[in-house]
Amino acid sequence: MWSTHARPMIVQLARYAVIGGSSTALNAGLFLLLRPFLDAVPANLVALTVTTVVSTEANRRFAFDGAHAHHMREWVQDVGTVLFYAGYSSVVLLGLHLVDPGATPGLEAAVVAVASVAGGLARFLVLRHWVFATGEHHTTGRPRPTEADSGPCSTTSPRST
């Protein structure tokens, strides 16, 4: 049987995976739309920036139950994600062109999509434990009750869980 802490994380991870897959598809689509007008790396950077902001908001609303984050944490996470994926995917694209100088935009998009999966788990953990964290061992975006919320209680009776 799942513990009360593991199940919400599994639900969050499943929702995050759906959003991640959708974001990766959106990223690939934007990349392919921009590719005729921009070189591979700039097209990737534009697509990545747009999809990072969109996916962070989608994750906040869907995967993390509308959790509120401090705006600075969300901003730092967005910038950090863009910088990480920009560097990582640019190196991947440059490496692809070293191996296959005639790589097509479709192959470029596929390589970037596959590469983005690697950072997805790390991003989930950052979102879950730092950006949308609402308290120790708290796994949903709903506010956790505090001692003050539980009303009058005896100091000798144990707190119910």
Side-chain angles (χ1 to χ4, degrees):
M1 180 155 218
W2 292 345
S3 75
T4 58
H5 294 295
R7 190 168 190 274
M9 185 172 87
I10 291 169
V11 170
Q12 285 177 336
L13 188 56
R15 291 175 180 174
Y16 177 83
V18 168
I19 293 166
S22 300
S23 296
T24 299
L26 177 62
N27 189 10
L30 285 172
F31 176 84
L32 289 172
L33 284 173
L34 294 169
R35 192 60 180 89
F37 309 104
L38 299 171
D39 287 336
V41 171
N44 178 54
L45 295 177
V46 171
L48 179 66
T49 301
V50 170
T51 57
T52 296
V53 173
V54 169
S55 70
T56 298
E57 183 60 18
N59 277 308
R60 183 187 73 77
R61 290 177 186 227
F62 183 61
F64 297 101
D65 297 326
H68 293 286
H70 187 280
H71 292 295
M72 185 57 84
R73 280 186 183 186
E74 199 166 330
W75 186 84
V76 167
Q77 185 276 150
D78 280 348
V79 169
T81 299
V82 169
L83 291 175
F84 169 76
Y85 281 121
Y88 176 62
S89 59
S90 295
V91 167
V92 167
L93 281 170
L94 294 172
L96 171 65
H97 282 280
L98 284 174
V99 173
D100 182 2
T104 65
L107 180 58
E108 293 169 343
V111 167
V112 168
V114 169
S116 73
V117 172
L121 183 57
R123 183 170 185 231
F124 171 77
L125 294 172
V126 168
L127 287 171
R128 184 172 194 276
H129 293 292
W130 187 63
V131 176
F132 298 125
T134 58
E136 186 179 352
H137 303 298
H138 189 245
T139 56
T140 68
R142 294 179 198 92
R144 188 172 63 165
T146 63
E147 294 275 341
D149 295 334
S150 62
C153 64
S154 166
T155 58
T156 58
S157 63
R159 183 176 174 169
S160 62
T161 55

